[in-house]
Amino acid sequence: LKDGTTVVSSEAGILEPENAPAELFKSKGRLGPGKMVAIDLHSGELIENDDIKQKMAVKKPYSEWNKVFRESLPTPDFLGADHDDPVSKAVEEDLITLQFDLGYTIEDTEMVVESMAQTGKEPTWCMGNDKPLAILSERPHVLYDYFTQRFAQVTNPAIDPYREALVMSVEVYLGRQGNIMAERP
């Protein structure tokens, strides 16, 4: 806002229109995926996504470090359909049984493994994925179930920190927290 107040919210309509008319806003917008904003607490400046990334990019010689320290892994030779490797042939002959024994379902194979093999990316799912976390399940899971990412983990309606003060806090600590990751090659 023009008075120096910054409001950040995950929900639209957090400010009542009669309390915050449009002329009070210095800027407003939507933060998209992979985007960020920062506020310089010394100058009060709002720093937007491209400026943050540009400032960070020139701090250290990341491009040079990438050229010097980057290692390329060799691409393995894949077996053709007419190979004569005995271990691979044994696996191929018993593949469905092995997949079942390791916890893969037909759905896992068709929707996840094949999709990853074809696109080279982890498949993305819609919101509303209510599959329980593998770590809390009593049933066995395949290894990758323990490492999946879940997005949009929000509550609806939004959590009310005043009514739920006994079980949550919106307290934020600002200031130096030490060097979590040193910027060096």
Side-chain angles (χ1 to χ4, degrees):
L1 301 175
K2 290 180 181 173
D3 67 357
T5 303
T6 301
V7 179
V8 180
S9 170
S10 65
E11 301 288 332
I14 196 75
L15 297 174
E16 297 293 334
E18 57 272 4
N19 296 335
E23 60 269 6
L24 291 181
F25 286 90
K26 184 175 182 180
S27 69
K28 67 179 185 175
R30 181 174 166 252
L31 200 58
K35 305 293 184 190
M36 60 180 107
V37 293
I39 298 172
D40 183 330
L41 297 177
H42 296 291
S43 68
E45 173 191 13
L46 174 68
I47 309 167
E48 297 200 25
N49 184 62
D50 292 338
D51 296 329
I52 294 170
K53 291 177 180 175
Q54 185 60 37
K55 285 181 182 183
M56 296 306 294
V58 298
K59 282 179 98 173
K60 301 284 181 182
Y62 297 114
S63 180
E64 293 302 317
W65 289 348
N66 190 28
K67 289 176 188 171
V68 173
F69 295 102
R70 183 176 186 163
E71 291 186 34
S72 296
L73 299 175
T75 305
D77 292 330
F78 291 101
L79 297 174
D82 57 345
H83 68 84
D84 55 352
D85 180 47
V87 174
S88 298
K89 281 205 179 288
V91 169
E92 289 170 4
E93 290 170 5
D94 211 17
L95 185 59
I96 293 176
T97 304
L98 288 170
Q99 289 173 336
F100 180 77
D101 290 346
L102 293 171
Y104 288 86
T105 64
I106 292 174
E107 184 179 61
D108 289 330
T109 305
E110 291 176 355
M111 295 181 66
V112 179
V113 178
E114 285 181 11
S115 171
M116 290 170 64
Q118 290 169 355
T119 65
K121 298 177 184 175
E122 184 177 354
T124 55
W125 305 97
C126 64
M127 288 178 59
N129 177 5
D130 59 354
K131 183 176 179 183
L133 296 174
I135 193 73
L136 301 176
S137 176
E138 293 177 8
R139 300 179 67 194
H141 285 261
V142 291
L143 184 61
Y144 70 79
D145 274 355
Y146 294 90
F147 299 101
T148 56
Q149 296 180 16
R150 299 189 70 184
F151 299 95
Q153 299 292 312
V154 296
T155 61
N156 199 2
I159 293 173
D160 183 349
Y162 300 109
R163 293 190 185 100
E164 300 179 25
L166 291 174
V167 293
M168 70 167 293
S169 170
V170 291
E171 199 170 278
V172 175
Y173 296 98
L174 295 177
R176 189 172 177 89
Q177 296 181 351
N179 187 4
I180 296 173
M181 297 185 333
E183 289 185 87
R184 56 190 162 130

